[in-house]
């Protein structure tokens, strides 16, 4: 309403590159069709079809619709051995992963933000015996950890959890934080589809939101985001590689479509 269009060639001297570089919004429908100010220039002989396009969905309109919320519980396992322990305390891990003590940027808050509140991870509930508090449990085993692989350290911790009465089928996901001293790695995830899946992190990397987004992305069925010959080359996506562990980052369009 209120607009107009003119059949014919664009006015002489019209600089299309300058128009595109300006702060205004222009839409080119073909090589010779353009909008500038309130005038649509259409080549002679062209067929004009006018349609009303539905408004884009915004966060407000999305929130007003019925959303399917996927809520999954996570138990964070702080590993302690004879010769080393995970650097972060239970309270620090709970805060960095779940925000239980006020941290505004966490693994779970980033998932919620990137999914418009449709993918929610919550801490495993407390137990009356106080073994689990704010989604975190400490697994202490009487072995040295130096030189072990991350997977071996995880298996020892898992066996200790079973002795404590906690099975890997009790919660949707387990995050194991193993001490420095094991063979260096960043993080990895594994497990069978459904209950009992887990991810394992090298000490302080358990507190990094981007690393958590990456490994939990695998848990949700996502592969790596590559670019060219690099498996992790798409650094715009949490499933690629980036050394900025505290950066707020979501998945790329292809990964979000998968989810």
């Amino acid at each position: 309403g209120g607009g107009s269009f003119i059949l014919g060639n664009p006015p002489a001297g019209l600089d299309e590159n300058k128009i595109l570089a300006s702060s205004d919004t222009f839409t080119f429908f073909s090589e010779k069709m353009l909008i500038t100010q309130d005038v649509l220039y259409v080549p002679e002989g062209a067929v004009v079809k006018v349609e009303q396009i539905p408004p884009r969905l915004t966060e407000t309109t999305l929130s007003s619709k019925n959303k399917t919320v996927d809520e999954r519980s996570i138990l964070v396992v702080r590993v302690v051995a004879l010769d080393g322990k995970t650097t972060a305390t239970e309270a620090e891990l709970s805060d960095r992963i779940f925000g239980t003590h006020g941290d505004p940027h966490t693994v779970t808050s980033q998932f919620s933000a990137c999914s418009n509140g449709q993918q929610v991870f919550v801490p495993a509930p407390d137990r009356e015996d106080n073994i689990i508090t704010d989604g975190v449990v400490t697994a202490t085993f009487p072995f040295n950890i130096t030189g072990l692989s991350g997977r071996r350290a995880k298996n020892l911790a898992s066996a200790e959890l079973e002795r404590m009465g906690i099975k890997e089928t009790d919660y949707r996901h387990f995050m194991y934080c193993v001490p420095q001293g094991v063979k260096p790695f960043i993080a990895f995830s594994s497990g069978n589809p459904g209950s009992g899946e887990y991810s394992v992190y090298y000490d302080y990397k358990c507190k990094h939101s981007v690393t958590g987004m990456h490994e939990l992305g695998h848990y949700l069925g996502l592969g790596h985001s590559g670019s060219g010959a690099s498996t992790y080359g798409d650094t715009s996506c949490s499933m690629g590689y980036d050394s900025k562990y505290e950066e707020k980052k979501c998945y790329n369009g292809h990964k979000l479509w998968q989810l």
Side-chain angles (χ1 to χ4, degrees):
S4 63
F5 66 88
I6 300 174
L7 291 177
N9 295 322
L14 188 64
D15 188 341
E16 297 182 10
N17 291 326
K18 185 177 180 180
I19 291 175
L20 285 173
S22 74
S23 60
D24 296 324
T25 300
F26 301 90
T27 303
F28 286 76
F29 297 89
S30 73
E31 291 183 357
K32 296 298 182 180
M33 186 182 300
L34 58 89
I35 294 176
T36 175
Q37 303 299 333
D38 60 349
V39 178
L40 170 65
Y41 295 93
V42 182
E44 292 181 356
V47 176
V48 180
K49 182 179 180 181
V50 179
E51 294 180 335
Q52 183 176 4
I53 301 174
R56 293 181 59 187
L57 288 178
T58 63
E59 185 174 346
T60 302
T61 57
L62 282 171
S63 63
S64 65
K65 296 179 180 295
N66 292 326
K67 296 188 299 184
T68 300
V69 178
D70 183 8
E71 183 175 293
R72 308 189 187 202
S73 60
I74 294 179
L75 179 62
V76 179
V77 183
R78 179 176 180 265
V79 176
V80 174
L82 287 177
D83 57 347
K85 62 183 179 180
T86 303
T87 303
T89 65
E90 286 191 10
E92 289 170 338
L93 288 173
S94 181
D95 194 30
R96 287 297 297 129
I97 295 170
F98 304 112
T100 50
H101 302 291
D103 194 319
H105 176 52
T106 68
V107 176
T108 54
S109 71
Q110 193 62 14
F111 260 105
S112 180
C114 291
S115 66
N116 192 39
Q118 292 181 271
Q119 182 62 64
V120 178
F121 287 102
V122 297
D126 293 355
R127 286 194 4 176
E128 292 183 359
D129 55 10
N130 295 322
I131 289 178
I132 299 174
T133 303
D134 293 332
V136 184
V137 62
T138 294
T140 304
F141 51 80
F143 303 102
N144 290 327
I145 202 170
T146 302
L148 297 182
S149 67
R151 193 173 303 276
R152 176 59 178 159
K154 176 267 166 191
N155 289 339
L156 289 172
S158 179
E160 177 60 24
L161 289 181
E162 287 208 23
R163 191 194 67 77
M164 297 164 63
I166 301 173
K167 297 181 293 184
E168 282 193 346
T169 54
D170 290 345
Y171 306 101
R172 296 294 296 275
H173 192 79
F174 283 65
M175 293 178 67
Y176 288 88
C177 309
V178 301
Q180 298 183 45
V182 299
K183 295 177 181 178
F185 69 103
I186 296 177
F188 62 88
S189 58
S190 186
N192 298 317
S195 298
E197 299 196 19
Y198 61 85
S199 51
V200 185
Y201 305 81
Y202 182 81
D203 196 60
Y204 57 88
K205 290 182 172 60
C206 223
K207 301 195 302 178
H208 292 154
S209 61
V210 173
T211 307
M213 287 278 291
H214 183 103
E215 298 307 328
L216 288 173
H218 285 314
Y219 163 55
L220 295 173
L222 300 180
H224 291 137
S225 290
S227 178
S230 174
T231 303
Y232 300 87
D234 182 3
T235 57
S236 70
C237 176
S238 291
M239 299 311 294
Y241 174 79
D242 199 309
S243 59
K244 298 177 181 178
Y245 294 112
E246 303 306 318
E247 184 179 13
K248 292 183 179 181
K249 184 188 296 187
C250 293
Y251 301 117
N252 63 24
H254 176 69
K255 302 302 183 189
L256 290 173
W257 179 85
Q258 284 183 269
L259 293 173

